Amino acid sequence: GAVVSQHPSRVICKSGTSVKIECRSLDFQATTMFWYRQFPKQSLMLMATSNEGSKATYEQGVEKDKFLINHASLTLSTLTVTSAHPEDSSFYICSAPTGTYEQYFGPGTRLTVT
Amino acid sequence: AQSVTQPDIHITVSEGASLELRCNYSYGATPYLFWYVQSPGQGLQLLLKYFSGDTLVQGIKGFEAEFKRSQSSFNLRKPSVHWSDAAEYFCAVGDEGGSEKLVFGKGTKLTVNP
């Protein structure tokens, strides 16, 4: 089946630095990818929709200048958390739809900001 | 806007016992419904989905779910639970706006006792 990868799986960064998370569709092309954030013991919160060749669409309340999304190709989307702070620590998950609402999810990236 | 309710935050069952996880949705038309499972620190794996047709759908790992329009429900069931089924389970509905977004419930954590 379709596979979506994320890199890195875990990252620790210092407060004030930026960190980039990659999401790749390994055996299919994805013009759209979704980025979610999951707080401990909570559900997934959709942050933004990444669109290949155009700007990302952010959900209400998500700071687009803080969470930069770039969909560089049909198989790669990146999420950059800029000037990270401890409150940005979370589990970030990407997904790629394959049509008719079905999505394949990446394994997630655990971000810890110290 | 559509929403998904999973009334049970945490369920504990004994290994070998039957399981039913509840999911209720709010949706204007015929919904696209999903159940996903998430093991600790992992991404989401699709268990099963309902788009149309037979209201009883079979999924992986011996799970099934039944779509009941009259009750706006899509409950997940398994006749005999295995210890490896311990995980977080999320019900989701496709966005009725046609964007391929998913709206997730808050999840139900399943604990399996030996």
Side-chain angles (χ1 to χ4, degrees), chain A residues 38-61:
Chain A
Q38 186 178 29
F39 292 97
K41 300 182 180 180
Q42 294 192 28
S43 188
L44 282 74
M45 180 192 79
L46 179 65
M47 299 174 64
T49 303
S50 173
N51 304 299
E52 190 270 336
S54 64
K55 292 182 179 180
T57 306
Y58 290 82
E59 297 298 305
Q60 190 173 8

Side-chain angles (χ1 to χ4, degrees), chain B residues 53-64:
Chain B
D54 193 346
T55 56
L56 183 63
V57 294
Q58 302 296 321
I60 62 171
K61 303 184 180 186
F63 286 92
E64 66 178 25

Side-chain angles (χ1 to χ4, degrees), chain B residues 11-65:
Chain B
I11 283 183
T12 300
V13 299
S14 298
E15 189 168 17
S18 63
L19 171 70
E20 182 170 35
L21 301 182
R22 296 183 290 167
C23 173
N24 293 96
Y25 64 90
S26 170
Y27 196 84
T30 300
Y32 295 162
L33 294 161
F34 305 82
W35 274 100
Y36 287 89
V37 61
Q38 184 182 33
S39 297
Q42 302 294 316
L44 275 70
Q45 181 182 21
L46 179 67
L47 285 176
L48 47 78
K49 61 190 177 187
Y50 172 79
F51 290 165
S52 64
D54 193 346
T55 56
L56 183 63
V57 294
Q58 302 296 321
I60 62 171
K61 303 184 180 186
F63 286 92
E64 66 178 25

Side-chain angles (χ1 to χ4, degrees), chain A residues 3-101:
Chain A
V3 178
V4 173
S5 69
Q6 279 184 245
H7 179 79
S9 58
R10 290 178 177 270
V11 58
I12 301 173
C13 69
K14 292 186 177 181
S15 186
T17 63
S18 297
V19 61
K20 180 185 289 187
I21 302 169
E22 293 185 347
C23 178
R24 293 181 184 273
S25 57
L26 297 185
D27 54 3
F28 66 101
Q29 294 182 333
T31 56
T32 300
M33 290 185 179
F34 297 105
W35 285 96
Y36 296 86
R37 180 174 181 176
Q38 186 178 29
F39 292 97
K41 300 182 180 180
Q42 294 192 28
S43 188
L44 282 74
M45 180 192 79
L46 179 65
M47 299 174 64
T49 303
S50 173
N51 304 299
E52 190 270 336
S54 64
K55 292 182 179 180
T57 306
Y58 290 82
E59 297 298 305
Q60 190 173 8
V62 177
E63 298 177 62
K64 61 181 180 181
D65 295 330
K66 181 166 190 62
F67 298 100
L68 299 179
I69 291 173
N70 182 28
H71 201 133
S73 73
L74 288 172
T75 59
L76 173 64
S77 174
T78 59
L79 168 67
T80 302
V81 183
T82 63
S83 186
H85 291 282
E87 57 266 29
D88 299 323
S89 298
S90 194
F91 194 55
Y92 293 88
I93 303 175
C94 70
S95 73
T98 59
T100 323
Y101 296 95

